[in-house]
Amino acid sequence: MARDEYEIYCPKCAWRPQPGDRWACEPSCGTVWNTFWTRGLCPGCGKQWRDTQCLACRAFSPHKQWYHAPRRARPGRTRRRETDTVS
Ligand SMILES: [Zn+2]
Ligand SMILES: [Zn+2]
C-alpha cells in the first residue's frame, strides 16, 4: 500500500510537515530524523512513538491521526486500527 494515498497534516492545526523538518527522540536516544519517513519509528533506538508533536502548534497527537485519507477514498475502506503497529 502506497503511503501516498494519505495526506499528512496536524490533526489540530492542519500544519503539513515538510521533508526538511526534524523530530528528536528525546529523552531516549537523541536521534534527529523526519518521523514521517518511518511512521514514528526512531531509526536510532527502534522506539515506536505513539504521539507526534506538531512543530507549528506544539500539540501532541497520536501519530496515526496525522494520516488522513484523501477525499476521493472509496467508501468501505478498511480503517487502520490503533493496534495495527508492528511490534
Ligand atoms: Zn499543529
Ligand atoms: Zn530513539
Side-chain angles (χ1 to χ4, degrees):
M1 181 180 295
R3 65 183 58 186
D4 290 343
E5 293 182 23
Y6 294 90
E7 295 190 53
I8 300 175
Y9 54 90
C10 174
K12 303 260 173 40
C13 73
W15 172 76
R16 291 173 181 267
Q18 301 301 310
D21 291 320
R22 294 292 182 271
W23 284 256
C25 183
E26 293 175 341
S28 294
C29 75
T31 294
V32 176
W33 85 111
N34 186 314
T35 192
F36 291 100
W37 292 345
T38 59
R39 295 202 170 207
L41 184 72
C42 173
C45 67
K47 175 181 173 66
Q48 178 67 59
W49 288 85
R50 297 196 176 279
D51 296 320
T52 294
Q53 185 180 30
C54 176
L55 300 185
C57 71
R58 297 289 172 183
F60 281 87
S61 301
H63 192 77
K64 290 179 181 298
Q65 289 187 8
W66 284 73
Y67 296 87
H68 305 265
R71 288 171 187 163
R72 54 187 168 80
R74 302 180 189 90
R77 180 189 189 87
T78 302
R79 298 186 65 168
R80 297 177 75 83
R81 305 191 59 174
E82 189 61 29
T83 53
D84 191 22
T85 43
V86 178
S87 58

